[in-house]
Amino acid sequence: MDIDVVLSPAVLAPEALKGRRVVMVDVLRASTTIATALASGARAVIPATDTGEAGRLAANLDPDFSLLGGERDGKPVAGFGAGNSPAEYGPEAVQGKTVVLTTTNGTRALAKAKAGIEVAVGGFVNAARAARFLAEGLERGEPGTILCAGWHGRVSLEDTLCAGLLVSRVVTAAQASGLTDSSKMAYALYQGSRDDIERALRSTEHARRLIALDFGDDITRCAQIDTLDVLPVQHDGRIT
Ligand code: 3SL
């Protein structure tokens, strides 16, 4: 069963995504925000790797039908219409609009993910759809990679846990023995935490940062499993 997990973009070998379906996972919070925006009726999310690029992309859009959002190290960016809290991307804020989003790690991981043949965004909230995307790829002979966004090149527990959930949805327990080491690590980690995912998320380094910034409620939202029936897919620089 060819499902690999890349624990951080920092360990992504240049050719590693060639010919593979990719699910980019940034549980706290870019994946959850992107899935929430699309579930709330956003027309598209355009990911940008830096704030300057995001500003330029947004400047080309009708201000009545667009929203410029994002964060740096969790904090909203001065002059942007929204930060990166999924709570800011409800229908009242994004329905019918194009969202330009730049985040510290998630949108940068999406830029690297472009090397895959198909790229989707996954989190706990849309795990069923992300797992189906990987399973359908395997049926067609397309191997899959779960690319964890991590934090500034480091591994994140929350992304690894979500990768483990996706792996567990795609492989049987018997098949798990044939996985790559990183997939096995994610799978085992998830099996040990599955009874209380929110508790596991709250124990992470990034949860502590978010709580210090007063975004503790976002952790509860990001820990919900299968609450959003959306599969954000990136094509030509747009996620729809
Ligand atoms: O790093 C990212 O892409 C963000 O999701 C981080 S934060 O949760 O908005 O701080």
Side-chain angles (χ1 to χ4, degrees):
M1 195 56 65
D2 196 352
I3 288 289
D4 196 16
V5 174
V6 175
L7 295 170
S8 158
V11 294
L12 181 67
E15 294 292 295
L17 300 181
K18 208 171 156 202
R20 304 180 74 90
R21 284 193 176 202
V22 181
V23 174
M24 191 290 295
V25 170
D26 185 359
V27 169
L28 297 174
R29 297 168 291 174
S31 289
T32 312
T33 294
I34 292 167
T36 300
L38 292 178
S40 300
R43 287 165 59 91
V45 176
I46 301 179
T49 50
D50 60 59
T51 54
E53 183 196 8
R56 285 190 293 278
L57 288 165
N60 287 326
L61 299 172
D62 182 334
D64 289 337
F65 294 97
S66 62
L67 176 66
L68 173 57
E71 54 70 38
R72 278 299 171 268
D73 292 336
K75 300 182 197 93
V77 180
F80 280 27
N84 188 33
S85 170
E88 296 175 274
Y89 291 83
E92 66 292 345
V94 301
Q95 191 146 41
K97 294 187 182 175
T98 298
V99 175
V100 178
L101 185 73
T102 181
T103 73
T104 309
N105 304 284
T107 56
R108 289 178 182 161
L110 278 167
K112 291 201 169 183
K114 280 179 196 160
I117 44 172
E118 294 238 44
V119 179
V121 175
F124 285 107
V125 289
N126 70 333
R129 293 293 302 273
R132 199 187 314 156
F133 168 80
L134 290 169
E136 285 170 0
L138 291 172
E139 279 162 25
R140 296 166 56 128
E142 296 167 0
T145 295
I146 301 161
L147 174 62
C148 298
W151 181 261
H152 289 290
R154 291 164 59 89
V155 173
S156 289
L157 179 57
E158 66 275 13
D159 296 341
T160 312
L161 277 170
C162 185
L165 166 62
L166 298 180
V167 171
S168 76
R169 293 258 174 105
V170 174
V171 306
T172 63
Q175 289 167 328
S177 61
L179 292 167
T180 61
D181 287 355
S182 51
S183 297
K184 272 188 204 156
M185 285 161 61
Y187 179 85
L189 191 69
Y190 172 71
Q191 297 304 326
S193 304
R194 59 184 299 165
D195 291 344
D196 195 342
I197 287 298
E198 181 172 349
R199 184 158 176 244
L201 290 201
R202 285 192 177 274
S203 76
T204 65
E205 282 177 57
H206 193 44
R208 291 198 288 279
R209 280 187 286 270
L210 290 174
I211 290 165
L213 292 169
D214 217 13
F215 290 122
D217 288 350
D218 284 355
I219 299 161
T220 304
R221 190 183 277 256
C222 296
Q224 306 306 307
I225 298 180
D226 296 339
T227 47
L228 299 180
D229 187 18
V230 288
L231 180 70
V233 174
Q234 175 170 262
H235 272 304
D236 298 330
R238 288 168 70 84
I239 303 171
T240 54

